[in-house]
Amino acid sequence: SRADQLAHQLNKLNLERQDTEQFVKARAISALQSQKTLPAGIVVWDKEFHTGVIGIVAQRLVEMFHRPTAVVGIDSDGILKGSVRGVKGFSVVDALEELSKYLLKFGGHAGAGGFSIESKNIEKFQEAFHEYCSEKLGDRLGKSIVEADTEVRLADLSLTLILELRRFAPFGVGNPSPTLLARGVKVLGVSTIKGTHLKVQFADGNHKLTGMIWRTTEHPALKTGARVDLAFRAEENRYNGLSAIQANIQAAAAA
C-alpha cells in the first residue's frame, strides 16, 4: 500500500516536471524563431524558466539545432543560473573557462556544464559565447555527427551480443555505450507512440528489428520502403515477461 502511494506521488511529480520542461522548451524555441538568424552558440534566458529543467531543455535544443546551447533561468537568490550542453568535438568546460570573466562561478566537463551570472553580464556572455562557438566549430556548425564503433548485419544481433556489450559498462562521458552501424536496411513501417516517440520496423532479408527514436515524431530518412544506413545502440526490451532486441536509434540516413 505504501509503495503504491509513493508510485502515484512519483508519477504525479514526473508529469509536472514534463509539463514544466515543455513550457520552457516551447518558450525557448519561440525566442529563437524570433531571431533573424540562429547563432553559432545558443543562449536563451527568461525569468519564467524553472532552473530544475534548464539542463534537459538545453539538451533538447542541442538535439534540434546541433549547436552548443545555454538555457538560463533565475535562481532563488535572484542570480541567473545557466546550464550548458555541447556537441561532439566541443568542450563546454573549456568554453566556460574562456568566458569566465563574465561569470560568478562555473563548472562541468566536456559535454555539459553550469554557471551563475549577474543579469548585467548576460548579453555580453551571449555575444561572447556565439563568437567562441563560431570560431571553434567552423564548417562543422549545425551538423550532427554520430560515430559507430563497428558494422553489423541484423543477423548478427542477439541477446547474447547485448550481454557482451554490457560488459563495457558503466557508460558515460569518456566511455559511451557501443554504437552499431547496419547498412542498407529496409524500412518496413513507421508509427508514433503516445504522439511523442517514433517507432520503426526494419528488415535485412529475413531478419527484422524494431527501433525507437525518443522524443521525435518524424525523421526525413525514415519512410516506409526506404533503404537506410542505421546507427543504433542495441538494447534488451522486456515486456510481459518476454525479451526482444530493440534499437535505440542514434542516426539514420539514406543508404
Side-chain angles (χ1 to χ4, degrees), residues 27-160:
R27 197 152 177 149
I29 292 172
S30 178
L32 292 172
Q33 290 175 337
S34 68
Q35 300 179 21
K36 292 182 179 180
T37 58
L38 199 61
I42 295 172
V43 180
V44 287
W45 71 93
D46 193 303
K47 64 181 181 180
E48 299 295 329
F49 286 179
H50 193 301
T51 54
V53 300
I54 55 176
I56 196 168
V57 172
Q59 182 60 41
R60 299 289 183 261
L61 296 181
V62 169
E63 293 168 1
M64 290 180 66
F65 301 112
H66 309 300
R67 56 198 70 206
T69 299
V71 180
V72 186
I74 298 180
D75 218 343
S76 57
D77 56 5
I79 296 295
L80 297 182
K81 177 183 178 182
S83 190
V84 190
R85 296 295 184 270
V87 296
K88 191 172 183 63
F90 178 90
S91 172
V92 169
V93 73
D94 286 353
L96 295 177
E97 175 73 42
E98 182 70 19
L99 305 180
S100 60
K101 65 181 180 181
Y102 302 110
L103 309 175
L104 294 173
K105 59 181 180 179
F106 69 92
H109 51 75
F115 62 87
S116 295
I117 185 173
E118 293 181 283
S119 57
K120 67 180 182 180
N121 289 326
I122 187 65
E123 291 186 0
K124 296 175 183 177
F125 173 79
Q126 180 187 41
E127 182 178 352
F129 188 70
H130 162 63
E131 292 177 356
Y132 180 88
C133 293
S134 180
E135 178 184 336
K136 288 294 181 180
L137 293 173
D139 59 6
R140 293 182 292 131
L141 180 64
K143 296 179 180 178
S144 176
I145 300 173
V146 174
E147 292 183 348
D149 296 288
T150 190
E151 189 171 336
V152 298
R153 300 168 302 168
L154 297 192
D156 298 327
L157 301 178
S158 66
L159 292 175
T160 300

Side-chain angles (χ1 to χ4, degrees), residues 135-200:
E135 178 184 336
K136 288 294 181 180
L137 293 173
D139 59 6
R140 293 182 292 131
L141 180 64
K143 296 179 180 178
S144 176
I145 300 173
V146 174
E147 292 183 348
D149 296 288
T150 190
E151 189 171 336
V152 298
R153 300 168 302 168
L154 297 192
D156 298 327
L157 301 178
S158 66
L159 292 175
T160 300
L161 174 63
I162 291 174
L163 292 174
E164 290 177 355
L165 293 177
R166 284 181 187 168
R167 297 175 65 186
F168 290 105
F171 303 121
V173 175
N175 186 39
S177 180
T179 299
L180 310 177
L181 173 66
R183 295 187 185 274
V185 295
K186 185 177 181 180
V187 179
L188 296 182
V190 182
S191 59
T192 58
I193 296 179
K194 297 181 179 179
T196 305
H197 313 297
L198 197 63
K199 181 178 181 179
V200 190

Side-chain angles (χ1 to χ4, degrees), residues 184-188 201-204 225-228:
V185 295
K186 185 177 181 180
V187 179
L188 296 182
Q201 299 287 340
F202 300 97
D204 180 6
R227 291 277 180 179
V228 297

